[in-house]
């Protein structure tokens, strides 16, 4: 089998086989490298009616950040186990659509690189340029594919993996009145962060009130959580952000709400606890100790389950009218000092 040296792809294929009859599976693209063909899989479960809300989970966009794929595979395994006995989950899926793309960049994971096999950073690949100054190189560059954070050639089509993400979002999420996406990454800071757009500008998103309401709902429901909620632009800005691009395209109709979020796991804490990880480029982005990996795989399940409940129940918490204006003011004061 071509996947024998890529454990995450082996696990995903096993879960696809185990979930036959539950998941609708598609292969939007295949990545060729080193004489191998690595499929990029998408999975969907729940009510396909476009009138119901949807939630998407994405991981492995950066090949070095294996933990993003691993926590989604752990979540899928939990869902499959619950489908055998959990009547409440079956009821929930009648009013919710779930989609997954757990391993967007198998070629990069195979090569142990952040970029895809063409040297392109998929999170700098969208046809969108920052409106303000970005950090040199980190914000995306077009000097060379042999340097980090390469955006791809100017005017070139997006990479196949980026297009696969966009096609899934455009088909399953954007047509609905309410949808959310969570993209799982690692590699920044000492704490886990929930980032939301924009990344290309400091200007707040039109749906800042909805993001603020979601954060308040989570903090009230789970007051001891350890996440930092913030716009990505608060840390740094980038060119070509895939989620900014999809958000801007998906919110052209005011009645739609699409909230793309990024889970940015604080891998600096793992390195702080084991400084030797600094000498291994994979270990910088992933927990290596078994007990630490198990803890990371567990700790985000509450957040994932909350997002499912919040999406299915969005009509009960999304602010309307004067309440929305008040929520907008609070969010502006919190994240933008306005």
């Amino acid at each position: 089998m071509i996947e024998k040296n890529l454990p995450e792809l082996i696990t995903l294929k096993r879960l696809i086989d185990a979930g036959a009859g539950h998941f609708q599976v598609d292969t939007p693209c295949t990545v060729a490298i080193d004489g191998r063909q690595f499929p990029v899989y998408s999975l969907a479960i729940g009510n396909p009616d476009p009138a119901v809300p949807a939630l998407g989970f994405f991981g492995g966009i950066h090949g070095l950040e294996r933990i993003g794929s691993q926590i989604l595979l752990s979540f899928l395994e939990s869902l499959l186990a619950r489908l055998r006995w959990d009547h409440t989950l079956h009821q929930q899926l009648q009013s919710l659509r779930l989609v997954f793309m757990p391993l967007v960049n198998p070629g990069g994971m195979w090569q142990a690189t952040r970029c895809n096999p063409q040297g392109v950073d998929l999170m700098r690949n969208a046809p969108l340029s920052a409106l303000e100054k970005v950090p040199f190189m980190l914000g995306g560059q077009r000097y060379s594919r042999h340097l980090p954070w390469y955006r791809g050639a100017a005017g070139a089509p997006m990479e196949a993996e980026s297009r696969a993400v966009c096609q899934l979002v455009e088909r399953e999420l954007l047509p609905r009145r309410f949808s959310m996406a969570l993209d799982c990454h690692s590699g920044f800071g000492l704490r886990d962060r929930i980032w939301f757009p924009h990344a290309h500008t400091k200007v707040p998103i039109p749906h800042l009130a909805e993001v603020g309401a979601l954060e308040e709902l989570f903090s009230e429901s789970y007051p001891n959580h350890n996440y930092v909620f913030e716009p990505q632009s608060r840390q740094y800005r980038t060119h070509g952000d895939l989620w900014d691009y999809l958000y801007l395209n998906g919110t052209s109709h005011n009645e739609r709400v699409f909230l793309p979020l990024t889970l940015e796991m604080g891998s600096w804490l793992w390195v702080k606890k084991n400084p030797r990880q600094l000498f291994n480029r994979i270990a910088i982005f992933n927990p290596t100790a078994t007990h630490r990996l198990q803890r990371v795989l567990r700790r985000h399940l509450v957040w994932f389950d909350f997002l499912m409940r919040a999406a299915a129940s969005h009509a009960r918490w999304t602010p309307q009218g004067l309440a929305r204006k008040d929520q907008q003011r609070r969010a502006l004061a919190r994240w933008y000092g306005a």
Side-chain angles (χ1 to χ4, degrees), residues 26-311:
D26 191 18
T27 309
C29 71
T30 300
V31 177
I33 182 171
D34 294 341
R36 293 168 167 82
Q37 299 287 327
F38 291 112
V40 175
Y41 290 112
S42 68
L43 294 76
I45 190 172
N47 193 339
D49 186 344
V52 306
L55 172 62
F57 292 95
F58 300 82
I61 284 182
H62 293 140
L64 283 173
E65 301 169 21
R66 307 181 82 117
I67 188 63
S69 292
Q70 290 168 0
I71 62 171
L72 291 184
L73 294 173
S74 177
F75 182 47
L76 276 168
E77 194 162 27
S78 174
L79 281 178
L80 276 174
R82 290 172 55 199
L83 283 170
R84 294 196 297 267
W85 60 268
D86 191 344
H87 178 66
T88 302
L89 176 60
H90 283 271
Q91 288 183 317
Q92 189 177 28
L93 290 173
Q94 292 175 13
S95 58
L96 179 66
R97 182 71 162 172
L98 294 178
V99 297
F100 297 86
M101 193 173 279
L103 212 179
V104 176
N105 183 12
M109 195 170 289
W110 170 257
Q111 289 182 309
T113 60
R114 175 183 171 93
C115 59
N116 75 347
Q118 283 66 50
V120 176
D121 186 328
L122 301 179
M123 284 308 298
R124 304 291 187 271
N125 187 223
L128 176 70
S129 294
L131 300 181
E132 294 125 22
K133 185 177 180 181
V134 304
F136 179 65
M137 298 290 286
L138 172 64
Q141 55 85 16
R142 286 203 166 108
Y143 301 121
S144 171
R145 65 184 295 271
H146 301 292
L147 296 173
W149 305 295
Y150 180 58
R151 298 178 61 187
M158 281 195 290
E159 296 296 300
E161 302 94 330
S162 301
R163 294 198 305 271
V165 171
C166 291
Q167 289 164 4
L168 181 63
V169 171
E170 290 164 355
R171 183 177 71 248
E172 292 281 4
L173 303 185
L174 295 186
R176 301 168 191 270
R177 292 184 63 88
F178 184 92
S179 62
M180 293 192 290
L182 183 71
D183 184 17
C184 300
H185 289 259
S186 67
F188 183 87
L190 291 168
R191 292 182 61 184
D192 297 331
R193 284 171 158 77
I194 306 298
W195 280 345
F196 56 87
H198 292 122
H200 76 291
T201 177
K202 292 185 288 186
V203 176
I205 62 172
H207 293 100
L208 186 64
E210 284 75 12
V211 173
L214 182 73
E215 187 277 333
E216 288 184 3
L217 187 70
F218 183 65
S219 295
E220 291 167 0
S221 302
Y222 302 96
N224 296 310
H225 77 80
N226 194 43
Y227 295 109
V228 176
F229 286 74
E230 62 185 2
Q232 183 178 337
S233 61
R234 193 171 186 175
Q235 296 297 335
Y236 59 88
R237 286 172 294 284
T238 71
H239 299 298
D241 185 85
L242 199 58
W243 296 110
D244 276 20
Y245 172 75
L246 286 165
Y247 175 77
L248 293 172
N249 286 349
T251 55
S252 57
H253 301 290
N254 290 332
E255 70 273 10
R256 294 179 183 170
V257 176
F258 171 55
L259 303 180
L261 308 171
T262 296
L263 167 60
E264 186 71 31
M265 287 172 275
S267 65
W268 298 0
L269 182 61
W270 309 330
V271 175
K272 180 181 177 182
K273 292 182 177 180
N274 182 12
R276 287 176 297 178
Q277 291 184 212
L278 280 171
F279 302 101
N280 184 316
R281 64 176 178 173
I282 295 178
I284 292 173
F285 298 95
N286 303 280
T288 56
T290 300
H291 70 280
R292 196 162 293 133
L293 173 61
Q294 291 173 336
R295 186 183 304 125
V296 172
L297 294 179
R298 290 194 307 268
R299 71 183 299 168
H300 300 293
L301 293 180
V302 170
W303 169 240
F304 293 174
D305 183 67
F306 166 80
L307 287 177
M308 289 175 57
R309 295 171 184 270

Side-chain angles (χ1 to χ4, degrees), residues 1-6 9-10 13-14 17 36-39 41 110:
M1 290 290 290
I2 59 171
E3 299 96 339
K4 65 181 179 180
N5 293 318
L6 199 52
L9 202 52
I10 295 173
K13 185 61 169 64
R14 175 178 61 80
D17 292 341
R36 293 168 167 82
Q37 299 287 327
F38 291 112
Y41 290 112
W110 170 257

